[in-house]
Amino acid sequence: MNKIKILSVFGTRPEAIKMAPLVKHLASLPEFDSRCCLTGQHREMLDSVMDIFQLKGDYDLNIMQARQTLSSITTKTLLGMDEVLEDAKPDLVLVHGDTSTTFAGALAAFYHKVPVGHVEAGLRTWDKYSPYPEEMNRTLVGRIAELHFCPTVNNLRNLEQEAVPGAKFITGNTVIDAMKTTVRPDFVFSVPELNELDFRNHRVIAVTCHRRENYGEPMREIMEAIRELALSHPEIEVVYPVHLSPVVRECVFGILRDVPRVHLIDPIDVENMHNLMARCHFVMTDSGGLQEEAPALGKPVLVLRRETERPEAVQAGTVKLAGVRKQDILALAEELLTDEASYHRMAQAVNPYGDGNACERIAQAILWHFGRIAEKPADFGA
Ligand code: UD1
Ligand code: UDP
């Protein structure tokens, strides 16, 4: 029987981290011919993930430009994908999440009448400008896709509420699959700055912040809050791997450079990042992925945003929405540092996002879709 030809399209750090275990799993199964098309929307941050998971792209559009615009990412990907799709002739294109690569990759497949499978489908805030442009990207991909791989039941209900057509599966999030290989109790950091952190005597707070809707005033308020927190708490150290976006770096270094016990470092690879989170006291972030990873590691998270498309860990109590105002962020961080009961309530290991078998469920779902197996796979949590 012919192999099912899968083309996975991704281009940013979080897509790569969450697609890597799936791409590897598909490649290990005899029913699939699995190839990758990298857009290169991120260059260094993408290559770092590919190195850690020992993956290579079969195609690389290499589109990244400094301070790139949404239009440039979308149009370059669309144009580049024409040739790739002609050459690869896939039976199914897989895209992940909600970036501009995701949207343009799905749209290019649609233009070539190739069906699309959407990994991490159904996340919603119902506010098209927050997160921007991600909420619109994932909504549009939802209309294009034939197969929807939802991490949670809540994500599936969102798609049902929108009456999105196509087959829907609850799979868990592939990031939990990725963490099975990255988090190790005996892991030794390969980044000198991480080895210099005093985990024994200090409380280490891990920070990341990069979202476009936080550019400008919100990001300045967030950085001011971190500055004040570090200055008023000699027992803490802040470690912040700063995203390579020049807009982000100007703001972060402008406010936090030279603040005592605040370590601004370059992005670190995913193994160092996951093991840093496993050892830190708590996490402050506007990232999507960290909101899924930190709860699995039993670490409280303060989300530096006004909303979240990941309400599951908020409901479980390990994540709090801190907003983007300095005083609100400070108040919640102070509480975590001074109120032990409050800290312990948040520091429970909960894992609403998966059991580490999402990739297997997605592979089974694809086999079922192509009529290779009779049974639809059981949902995560069923
Ligand atoms: C993108 C995604 C966002 C995702 C984030 C993950 C869009 C519109 N946004 O946002 O959904 O949460 O990735 O990090 O798709 N840069 C480098 N090297 C790199 C990566 C980025 O220099 O390896 C710089 C470039 O100057 C680039 C800028 O960062 O122009 C911004 O990158 P871009 O992908 O446009 O936006 P992100 O904020 O990274
Ligand atoms: N991450 C990483 N190195 C870093 C910062 C983050 O490997 O220096 C990982 C993090 O653990 C998570 C992913 O990158 O798996 C999140 O990516 P990002 O915050 O860029 O995007 P988002 O999740 O917000 O879309």
Side-chain angles (χ1 to χ4, degrees):
M1 206 179 265
N2 287 346
K3 288 182 183 253
I4 303 167
K5 287 161 82 175
I6 308 278
L7 183 69
S8 298
V9 181
F10 52 94
T12 66
R13 171 173 65 191
E15 294 165 82
I17 292 169
K18 291 167 164 185
M19 286 299 274
L22 179 58
V23 166
K24 288 182 92 132
H25 185 57
L26 294 175
S28 74
L29 299 176
E31 294 91 342
F32 295 105
D33 168 357
S34 166
R35 298 197 201 173
C36 292
C37 173
L38 310 178
T39 64
Q41 177 178 336
H42 285 172
R43 189 68 277 163
E44 301 88 336
M45 285 157 53
L46 171 69
D47 294 344
S48 154
V49 181
M50 299 300 280
D51 288 348
I52 290 286
F53 288 100
Q54 296 175 322
L55 280 173
K56 287 225 176 312
D58 299 282
Y59 305 92
D60 193 333
L61 306 181
N62 199 22
I63 65 164
M64 194 189 88
Q65 287 176 312
R67 295 175 195 266
Q68 60 206 359
T69 63
L70 301 178
S71 311
S72 101
I73 305 168
T74 306
T75 50
K76 283 176 151 192
T77 300
L78 264 182
L79 288 171
M81 287 288 299
D82 271 343
E83 218 173 287
V84 174
L85 287 163
E86 288 296 331
D87 184 67
K89 297 193 173 40
D91 300 309
L92 181 71
V93 161
L94 290 179
V95 294
H96 178 279
D98 53 20
T99 71
S100 293
T101 284
T102 316
F103 168 57
L107 188 60
F110 169 69
Y111 286 165
H112 288 255
K113 296 192 176 158
V114 177
V116 171
H118 188 198
V119 182
E120 198 172 280
L123 281 69
R124 294 289 186 273
T125 59
W126 313 109
D127 176 350
K128 70 179 173 188
Y129 287 108
S130 190
Y132 167 83
E134 290 81 4
E135 177 76 1
M136 186 54 72
N137 285 342
R138 59 196 174 211
T139 305
L140 295 172
V141 174
R143 301 311 298 189
I144 294 172
E146 260 85 353
L147 303 178
H148 309 268
F149 305 112
C150 305
T152 70
V153 63
N154 172 56
N155 305 144
L156 180 107
R157 289 201 186 115
N158 289 341
L159 294 182
E160 286 173 348
Q161 189 175 325
E162 281 180 358
V164 168
K168 303 173 192 73
F169 311 84
I170 307 173
T171 59
N173 198 307
T174 56
V175 78
I176 306 296
D177 299 31
M179 289 172 80
K180 285 202 296 199
T181 61
T182 54
V183 181
R184 298 189 290 276
D186 58 349
F187 182 81
V188 179
F189 294 123
S190 59
V191 178
E193 292 96 327
L194 299 183
N195 284 320
E196 284 157 20
L197 294 168
D198 185 357
F199 287 97
R200 198 180 291 265
N201 299 305
H202 285 157
R203 288 173 161 183
V204 174
I205 303 173
V207 173
T208 76
C209 184
H210 69 83
R211 303 216 77 82
R212 276 176 195 252
E213 72 273 11
N214 278 341
Y215 284 5
E217 194 50 30
M219 204 170 278
R220 278 195 289 278
E221 292 243 348
I222 292 167
M223 297 312 139
E224 289 291 350
I226 292 167
R227 183 184 146 84
E228 203 160 310
L229 199 67
L231 291 174
S232 57
H233 284 273
E235 80 283 15
I236 70 170
E237 283 188 77
V238 174
V239 56
Y240 180 174
V242 188
H243 192 291
L244 292 178
S245 161
V247 183
V248 173
R249 292 177 85 85
E250 270 163 28
C251 176
V252 173
F253 282 89
I255 296 172
L256 292 178
R257 178 186 280 128
D258 300 330
V259 177
R261 288 165 288 96
V262 173
H263 311 282
L264 302 179
I265 61 177
D266 280 341
I268 54 183
D269 70 50
V270 61
E271 285 188 329
N272 279 286
M273 187 67 200
H274 284 175
N275 288 286
L276 168 65
M277 274 192 284
R279 291 174 205 182
C280 75
H281 192 56
F282 66 86
V283 173
M284 297 171 74
T285 189
D286 67 356
S287 153
L290 268 71
Q291 291 178 60
E292 296 152 347
E293 296 159 349
L297 297 165
K299 301 300 171 174
V301 183
L302 299 182
V303 175
L304 307 169
R305 292 169 52 177
R306 280 182 288 259
E307 39 48 41
T308 179
E309 58 290 275
R310 294 170 170 88
E312 296 85 355
V314 178
Q315 278 148 19
T318 57
V319 169
K320 278 189 185 164
L321 265 184
V324 292
R325 294 217 307 259
K326 178 179 163 185
Q327 290 311 331
D328 298 339
I329 297 165
L330 270 175
L332 286 177
E334 286 283 346
E335 188 183 328
L336 275 175
L337 287 170
T338 55
D339 181 341
E340 264 190 44
S342 173
Y343 179 85
H344 287 296
R345 269 196 304 277
M346 285 186 78
Q348 337 143 28
V350 297
N351 210 335
Y353 298 111
D355 59 0
N357 298 316
C359 297
E360 177 57 18
R361 287 193 193 89
I362 293 170
Q364 293 293 312
I366 298 172
L367 290 173
W368 175 77
H369 173 76
F370 284 98
R372 303 291 174 96
I373 55 172
E375 293 275 318
K376 193 178 179 194
D379 282 335
F380 162 59

